[in-house]
Amino acid sequence: LGNELWTSSGVAVSTGLIANDVRMASDGQSGVIISWYDARSGNGDVYAQRLDENGSAQWTTNGEEICVQPSWQTFPRIVSDNAGGAIIAWRDQRGSSDDIYAQRVGPNGNNYWTADGVAVCDSPSDQLYPELTSDGARGAIICWQDLYATDNDVYAQRVDYSGAKLWATDGVVLRAGETQQRHPEIASDGAGGAMVVMLDDGLAGYDLYGQRVDGSGRTLWGVNGTAFTTAAGDQIATAIVTDAEGGGIVAWHDGRGADTDIYAQRIERNGYLGYPSGEIASVRDVPGDQGGQVNVAWDASYLDPWPLMEIDNYTLWRAISPTRSARLPSDAVVLTSAAEVPPESDDPVFMMEERARGTFYWELVATLEAYHLETYSAVVPTLFDSTATSGEYHYFQTIAHSTAPDTFWVSLPDSGRSIDNLAPGAPLAFLAGVVSVDVELLWSPSGYHDEDLGHYNIHRSETPGFVPDGTTLVGTATDTTYMDLDPGPTTWYYRVLAEDVHGNESGPSDEASAMLGTGIDPEVPAVFALRGSFPNPHSGGTSIVFDLPAPAHVTVDVYSVDGRHVARIADSPMDAGTRTVQWNGTDAAGSEVPAGVYLYKLEAGAEQARGKAVVVR
């Protein structure tokens, strides 16, 4: 909160002496370990002190001795050993030349290694300006400027928790050549290795180069590293930190202009500048479809187009909220990603903060070969569509795969939703018939965009030509028939609308009417007519509808297409009017008939008519 927690103006670490190159590292317990060199014995020696979280010194007044050889020890650098202590490296003049030594100090101020430190590099040439970082295993990786032969080069060495050197005796070279390499800075790569940035004294001034070395001492960014910048003027006074993904971010003073400015650059784990992933540009619904898919577009990796052409293919991955799926597909990778990032958010800081809030399960949905284009897109499936009751998003990321094995870059995720844009067609052949005090309604599917049909909405009104709305809705049906039970004595007008599973509703059907209990005889058809069967095809039953202009004895027989009699489904007298006979798709014995085409014959007195019904199973 900005409150001073220790004594006003600070607490004393070492007094009465001139302390130089003061550095500090965490002790892992809310305190710090501080290192420096001073000349209390007449030449420079290295000391250290530990302060707890209250600012109280834990070791000997004015510090514990780290190295007090009768020569100059300067330029100490410190890093936590991740075990409550620290490792300190320095420039040491105890020999005939400047060398690099190091010591590990424990949480109680005791030195773990040989008194006055172990030699990290004591070759005959001068070794200057040590820097170090943790190796993640209680040891350290130390780099320095080495006057090898006539040129300054940069070397590095790894020492373990016991002080033993793990690489070549005098270290491994990170960058060498005819130019001078100076003042290295180092940061952990988070994988047991380190990244080092250094000044290269070229003909046009200082440039910045970098090298990554793994835990075994193998250089990863070419023989002599890779250039961070070769801009005009001097680039000096560098600093480097890890990007937490195996690479680093470097900042420096830059003299390319009329004055000195501050510049920065990211270099990723493979030595490429920036982070050469693709970038999701949009996740959009595919218009004019039934939902179930989106179009994902992305900008290519900068390594893809000519002349670099280093990308082999892209894979596209899909995820949904972890509250919607707890499964981990066998072909998925697990990454941290945005839990609830609005699709309109393009704030990269917000995106990065949100990535840490929820673990997503990624599933491979597409693979595209790279053709060295600037942009790509793919239509990919979704697991659900956006509706009024569920507006959740799908998340997508792309991975750019290099032509080099196991070299790839993962984009930040972006999100979008699929929508069913198409309503089903209006129902057809809508009929209304009076059955005692009830009204039976029959219709046929439109056959237009109704493959995702959810149900039908039935509307009723006393006003002809009415417009269906919430006040006229009387029921729903999943089949193409509906019985309106005893709606009351009047003339009723009906319309039916189809609605799909995503809430898209069709236009209304034609209007049908029925007169009930008005004291007026219902309208009698003028002629005999077979209207057809509804629905057709059917899987569990169909209604055969016909007009009788006069009372008659009616029989209806069903036959197979080869002429075999299947069942008689009507054999009784009927009054004049529009009449209905039901067939439930069974034979005379009551067994379901197989799927296929069936013929029916209607006889009403001297009148006859034939029709066809299709059974599906």
Side-chain angles (χ1 to χ4, degrees):
L1 299 176
N3 303 320
E4 293 182 352
L5 299 181
W6 297 347
T7 304
S8 179
S9 300
V11 299
V13 177
S14 177
T15 61
L17 306 165
I18 300 176
N20 298 275
D21 273 335
V22 181
R23 303 294 169 112
M24 69 175 65
S26 170
D27 68 353
Q29 301 181 43
S30 302
V32 293
I33 299 175
I34 301 171
S35 66
W36 69 92
Y37 81 90
D38 63 47
R40 69 183 71 176
S41 62
N43 50 31
D45 296 318
V46 179
Y47 291 83
Q49 179 62 271
R50 180 182 175 194
L51 303 180
D52 67 11
E53 62 183 292
N54 299 312
S56 301
Q58 302 298 297
W59 299 343
T60 303
T61 301
N62 289 332
E64 294 285 351
E65 297 177 350
I66 302 300
C67 181
V68 291
Q69 278 282 313
S71 58
W72 282 86
Q73 290 82 44
T74 59
F75 211 81
R77 296 293 185 265
I78 186 171
V79 69
S80 172
D81 68 354
N82 299 312
I87 297 173
I88 303 170
W90 63 88
R91 172 183 174 183
D92 197 298
Q93 293 180 330
R94 72 183 69 177
S96 59
S97 60
D98 288 342
D99 300 317
I100 304 298
Y101 277 74
Q103 178 63 270
R104 181 181 174 205
V105 59
N108 297 319
N110 54 308
N111 291 331
Y112 284 131
W113 299 343
T114 303
D116 293 325
V118 299
V120 177
C121 182
D122 57 358
S123 69
S125 57
D126 284 335
Q127 290 82 48
L128 310 172
Y129 307 120
E131 298 288 347
L132 75 166
T133 189
S134 171
D135 68 353
R138 294 185 294 165
I141 298 175
I142 305 168
C143 66
W144 62 89
Q145 176 181 322
D146 197 303
L147 185 57
Y148 184 79
T150 59
D151 295 319
N152 282 291
D153 300 325
V154 173
Y155 280 72
Q157 179 63 270
R158 181 181 177 191
V159 292
D160 67 12
Y161 64 92
S162 69
K165 293 190 286 190
L166 301 180
W167 298 345
T169 301
D170 291 327
V172 296
V173 61
L174 302 185
R175 180 169 170 79
E178 297 180 357
T179 56
Q180 304 290 324
Q181 326 302 323
R182 305 176 187 275
H183 296 288
E185 298 284 344
I186 192 170
S188 169
D189 67 357
M195 297 161 296
V196 178
V197 61
M198 64 207 80
L199 309 185
D200 182 280
D201 189 4
L203 297 177
Y206 284 116
D207 298 320
L208 299 186
Y209 281 77
Q211 181 63 275
R212 181 182 174 197
V213 58
D214 66 14
S216 64
R218 182 170 58 101
T219 53
L220 302 179
W221 293 348
V223 175
N224 275 323
T226 188
F228 280 84
T229 177
T230 57
D234 286 332
Q235 287 80 46
I236 59 174
T238 58
I240 184 171
V241 295
T242 178
D243 68 357
E245 296 185 7
I249 298 173
V250 176
W252 65 89
H253 288 188
D254 196 295
R256 71 183 71 175
D259 50 16
T260 300
D261 300 314
I262 303 296
Y263 280 75
Q265 178 63 276
R266 180 182 182 187
I267 192 162
E268 56 81 60
R269 63 186 182 275
N270 300 294
Y272 293 98
L273 298 181
Y275 188 77
S277 66
E279 182 179 357
I280 302 291
S282 64
V283 181
R284 296 181 178 176
D285 176 57
V286 177
D289 70 350
Q290 289 277 46
Q293 57 186 5
V294 291
N295 184 75
V296 182
W298 66 93
D299 296 325
S301 163
Y302 76 77
L303 298 178
D304 189 354
W306 184 90
L308 298 178
M309 297 189 294
E310 296 186 30
I311 301 300
D312 180 71
N313 67 84
Y314 294 89
T315 53
L316 192 60
W317 300 77
R318 179 190 65 201
I320 59 176
S321 169
T323 60
R324 289 291 301 267
S325 173
R327 66 187 180 88
L328 178 61
S330 59
D331 57 354
V333 292
V334 181
L335 302 172
T336 55
S337 180
E340 291 295 337
V341 179
E344 65 273 11
S345 175
D346 58 0
D347 181 348
V349 175
F350 177 77
M351 290 284 289
M352 291 298 291
E353 290 175 349
E354 288 296 309
R355 290 184 72 187
R357 299 188 183 182
T359 298
F360 272 40
Y361 298 148
W362 294 104
E363 183 177 9
L364 180 66
V365 291
T367 300
L368 276 75
E369 184 177 352
Y371 285 96
H372 314 306
L373 304 174
E374 297 284 348
T375 61
Y376 294 85
S377 69
V379 174
V380 295
T382 56
L383 299 175
F384 52 87
D385 290 306
S386 174
T387 65
T389 57
S390 175
E392 292 192 52
Y393 297 96
H394 287 75
Y395 297 87
F396 296 90
Q397 68 181 11
T398 182
I399 302 179
H401 299 265
S402 170
T403 52
D406 301 322
T407 303
F408 58 89
W409 300 276
V410 184
S411 74
L412 288 173
D414 203 350
S415 58
R417 298 181 284 191
S418 58
I419 300 172
D420 179 357
N421 309 114
L422 301 176
L428 304 175
F430 186 40
L431 300 173
V434 176
V435 181
S436 184
V437 295
D438 306 324
V439 177
E440 183 179 28
L441 304 174
L442 301 169
W443 62 89
S444 292
S446 70
Y448 179 76
H449 297 314
D450 55 6
E451 58 268 21
D452 59 346
L453 183 73
H455 61 269
Y456 294 95
N457 298 318
I458 292 86
H459 292 259
R460 180 184 69 205
S461 174
E462 295 182 75
T463 305
F466 75 98
V467 176
D469 60 24
T471 65
T472 62
L473 181 67
V474 294
T476 62
T478 57
D479 205 349
T480 57
T481 181
Y482 181 82
M483 187 69 74
D484 190 16
L485 301 175
D486 194 11
T490 189
T491 300
W492 293 107
Y493 299 91
Y494 293 89
R495 305 188 88 170
V496 62
L497 297 87
E499 184 175 327
D500 66 23
V501 295
H502 298 122
N504 295 313
E505 193 175 53
S506 74
S509 68
D510 291 338
E511 190 174 85
S513 63
M515 291 185 293
L516 288 171
T518 61
I520 303 173
D521 291 337
E523 181 180 352
V524 176
V527 295
F528 172 80
L530 175 63
R531 297 199 181 193
S533 60
F534 307 92
N536 193 14
H538 69 93
S539 60
T542 187
S543 299
I544 300 171
V545 183
F546 54 94
D547 291 339
L548 283 181
H553 189 94
V554 176
T555 60
V556 180
D557 292 282
V558 179
Y559 299 88
S560 63
V561 291
D562 60 2
R564 180 178 57 85
H565 187 261
V566 174
R568 171 163 284 189
I569 59 175
D571 188 2
S572 65
M574 294 187 183
D575 293 332
T578 299
R579 300 296 175 226
T580 302
V581 172
Q582 300 285 337
W583 181 42
N584 60 4
T586 60
D587 60 18
S591 301
E592 286 189 347
V593 299
V597 178
Y598 292 84
L599 306 175
Y600 56 86
K601 177 182 178 183
L602 168 66
E603 294 187 11
E607 303 286 353
Q608 291 186 3
R610 289 173 174 79
K612 180 168 61 176
V614 179
V615 177
V616 293
R617 298 297 186 193

